[in-house]
Amino acid sequence: TVERNISMHIAVVGLSHRTAPVEVREKLSIPEQTMEESLQNLRNHEQVLEASILSTCNRLEIYTLGRNPDLGIAAVRDFLSGHSGLESRDLSPHLFSYHHDEAIAHLMRVTAGLDSLVLGEGQILSQVKKMMRLGQEHKSIGPILNRLLTQAVSTGKRVRSETNLSTGAVSVSSAAVELAQLKLGQSRGQDALVTLETEQIAVVGAGRMSRLLLQHLQAKGASGVVLLNRTIERASALATDFPNLPIQCRGLDDLDQCLSTCSLVFTSTAADDPIIDANRLNALNRRSSLRLVDIGVPRNIASDVHAVSGVESHDVDDLQEVVERNQEARQQVAREAEGLLLEESRLFLEWWDSLEAVPTINRLRASLEEIRVEELTKALSRMGPDFSARERKVVEALTKGMINKILHTPVTQLRSAQQRSERQQALQVVERIFDLESGAPSQD
């Protein structure tokens, strides 16, 4: 049985594309290979009982169950400052923190795709699933956050199945392709998306984002793509999923050649430091203008490339221009989804409030169980040796069944009380009439 102390508190501290530019977000990014260490550092703090981390290209959010609201949030802020190397005064303006009801509502909105750069995008749902899986694997979440994250995931699925929010939704990768089309059109004096058929295109990286890039490049008319990756085998495995798109697979050793010959290069790697900078580009003998689109966080392309002649560079923060072209028609659907989120948040909060009754319920059950065992022992001693083991089991089951039947209605009523004041009053009555010692140890 899940119990909670009355002062336990759910909170979220983080930053996103709404509160921080990419140069700040990349300092806060936590890759999967260091996730266990980060979760352990959080859990080692006396204020943090449970912790889970959501780290994507557009946000870093840390959800906690803490002993004390203010001290718990302060502990997470200290962790973020230490992890990023940023002084608190430089980091704080970009951070948001939500307490309890607001934290729960925020997670529901995030999982549904309502807080995404691209409204309704589907990738965030799989990222929340991954957050929950890593929390379970590294034993940083317990019954409270596990329940919350499970409900958030089911809510995200429900929103997508019961509304049209995900219909026609663009992803970060598709927005990147559209941005390239838009900028190419603008460079030719057109305010429209142009075909990519004549562009020499390269994609650096062979992960999930690159897979989505290839899908959208194919859909937007690309005639061929050079796919570069640290391991050519992984690039080749990805290329086999696109039999109708000519793809050349190369290692990163060929990056300079691609930067010299290609007109459009997308980057999406897990590198911690930029792989393309001004020095690299200036050392090349480029044949044409070059457009770079970086959707990596941390960034794969250094900011100094803007000073290189003939080079146009864009990062994830530049996607807003494309996103705004697609948002208006989706706002009404988003408002419909908000109603579902309110309902799901309320259901979780009702479950949370019901936990307040658990210690009293456990003490009541323990008290009745003590009486049952005592009276059963007396009765069996009077029956003598003629009472068989089978008959003893039948009587044992009978008395347990009676206790469960007696407890069923009061336990249900205590758990389901709608108003907290109503529940507290009922708990006080039960404590008094059954003479339950509030400090007595509870049992599951």
Side-chain angles (χ1 to χ4, degrees):
T1 304
V2 181
E3 287 193 35
R4 73 172 175 89
N5 186 285
I6 198 68
S7 64
M8 282 183 186
H9 193 81
I10 293 171
V12 58
V13 180
L15 78 176
S16 73
H17 60 95
R18 299 182 188 278
T19 68
V22 65
E23 56 264 28
V24 174
R25 299 201 305 274
E26 65 187 359
K27 289 182 171 66
L28 275 292
S29 178
I30 300 178
E32 186 172 346
Q33 57 265 33
T34 64
M35 185 64 72
E36 182 176 10
E37 180 184 358
S38 295
L39 288 169
Q40 194 58 52
N41 287 340
L42 284 165
R43 283 287 288 107
N44 284 341
H45 197 287
E46 63 175 1
Q47 286 295 328
V48 179
L49 299 168
E50 300 181 25
S52 191
I53 299 174
L54 178 62
S55 182
T56 76
C57 63
N58 280 323
R59 67 183 66 246
L60 176 76
E61 299 183 355
I62 297 180
Y63 292 84
T64 58
L65 177 70
R67 298 183 188 277
N68 174 280
D70 296 330
L71 295 177
I73 284 178
V76 176
R77 284 174 170 265
D78 287 345
F79 165 81
L80 290 174
S81 181
H83 169 72
S84 64
L86 294 172
E87 294 291 336
S88 179
R89 64 176 180 273
D90 297 322
L91 180 60
S92 289
H94 301 291
L95 293 179
F96 60 79
S97 58
Y98 297 125
H99 292 258
H100 211 61
D101 297 27
E102 289 185 345
I104 293 161
H106 177 74
L107 175 60
M108 298 296 177
R109 294 191 83 254
V110 166
T111 311
L114 294 187
D115 196 63
S116 296
L117 171 66
V118 179
L119 190 63
E121 60 103 357
Q123 193 174 2
I124 189 65
L125 181 58
S126 63
Q127 290 165 335
V128 174
K129 288 181 184 176
K130 182 179 179 181
M131 167 173 69
M132 181 168 68
R133 175 178 59 80
L134 291 174
Q136 292 168 340
E137 287 180 2
H138 302 316
K139 296 180 173 54
S140 67
I141 63 174
I144 303 295
L145 287 189
N146 194 72
R147 171 90 175 217
L148 177 60
L149 293 174
T150 299
Q151 187 161 343
V153 168
S154 67
T155 299
K157 292 178 180 176
R158 183 184 173 196
V159 165
R160 287 165 174 81
S161 65
E162 295 184 21
T163 74
N164 293 321
L165 188 64
S166 59
T167 304
V170 289
S171 64
V172 169
S173 295
S174 67
V177 174
E178 283 194 25
L179 178 67
Q181 290 180 284
L182 182 65
K183 292 301 181 182
L184 286 167
Q186 290 173 350
S187 68
R188 299 168 190 172
Q190 307 172 35
D191 187 21
L193 305 182
V194 299
T195 180
L196 298 176
E197 187 176 0
T198 59
E199 301 300 320
Q200 300 295 310
I201 303 172
V203 172
V204 185
R208 176 180 173 82
M209 299 288 272
S210 295
R211 173 183 295 277
L212 293 172
L213 280 170
L214 293 175
Q215 287 178 3
H216 295 295
L217 287 169
Q218 180 174 266
K220 299 298 183 180
S223 57
V225 174
V226 178
L227 181 61
L228 299 98
N229 195 54
R230 185 170 52 83
T231 55
I232 298 181
E233 293 79 11
R234 184 171 182 184
S236 299
L238 177 56
T240 59
D241 292 337
F242 297 89
N244 298 320
L245 178 65
I247 298 177
Q248 299 178 41
C249 297
R250 301 183 187 175
L252 286 179
D253 291 344
D254 286 341
L255 178 58
D256 285 344
Q257 181 185 353
C258 287
L259 292 172
S260 299
T261 58
C262 289
S263 59
L264 179 58
V265 176
F266 296 88
T267 61
S268 176
T269 79
D272 293 330
D273 299 306
I275 58 174
I276 300 172
D277 58 17
N279 287 337
R280 184 168 202 157
L281 293 176
N282 285 324
L284 302 176
N285 181 22
R286 286 182 291 110
R287 303 174 190 172
S288 61
S289 62
L290 174 63
R291 189 169 301 278
L292 302 170
V293 183
D294 179 10
I295 57 174
V297 177
R299 286 174 293 180
N300 299 155
I301 301 174
S303 56
D304 63 4
V305 301
H306 290 288
V308 179
S309 176
V311 174
E312 294 286 338
S313 180
H314 312 282
D315 59 34
V316 288
D317 283 355
D318 296 319
L319 300 181
Q320 191 65 42
E321 183 177 350
V322 169
V323 168
E324 287 172 356
R325 295 165 64 99
N326 297 287
Q327 295 288 73
E328 289 184 18
R330 309 179 60 74
Q331 291 295 340
Q332 179 57 41
V333 183
R335 284 190 284 272
E336 295 174 15
E338 292 281 7
L340 296 179
L341 300 187
L342 284 173
E343 180 185 342
E344 292 289 343
S345 294
R346 177 182 57 78
L347 289 172
F348 178 83
L349 287 168
E350 286 179 0
W351 174 80
W352 170 269
D353 286 342
S354 74
L355 297 182
E356 185 180 24
V358 171
T360 297
I361 291 170
N362 285 342
R363 287 195 297 272
L364 177 59
R365 189 179 295 278
S367 177
L368 295 186
E369 174 66 8
E370 186 179 336
I371 294 170
R372 184 193 72 82
V373 170
E374 183 180 335
E375 294 303 314
L376 180 62
T377 301
K378 289 179 186 177
L380 291 178
S381 67
R382 290 196 294 267
M383 297 305 296
D386 295 335
F387 212 52
S388 68
R390 179 179 174 278
E391 290 169 327
R392 286 172 179 265
K393 284 184 178 179
V394 171
V395 174
E396 173 93 12
L398 171 67
T399 57
K400 284 185 176 180
M402 291 174 66
I403 294 297
N404 288 335
K405 289 279 189 182
I406 292 168
L407 283 172
H408 176 74
T409 299
V411 165
T412 301
Q413 293 294 326
L414 288 172
R415 285 184 180 276
S416 63
Q418 294 299 308
Q419 298 296 324
R420 188 161 181 262
S421 58
E422 178 187 336
R423 179 182 293 109
Q424 288 180 325
Q425 185 177 9
L427 291 172
Q428 289 171 2
V429 170
V430 171
E431 294 264 2
R432 186 171 65 251
I433 63 176
F434 284 96
D435 194 24
L436 302 177
E437 182 183 346
S438 60
S442 61
Q443 300 176 10
D444 287 345

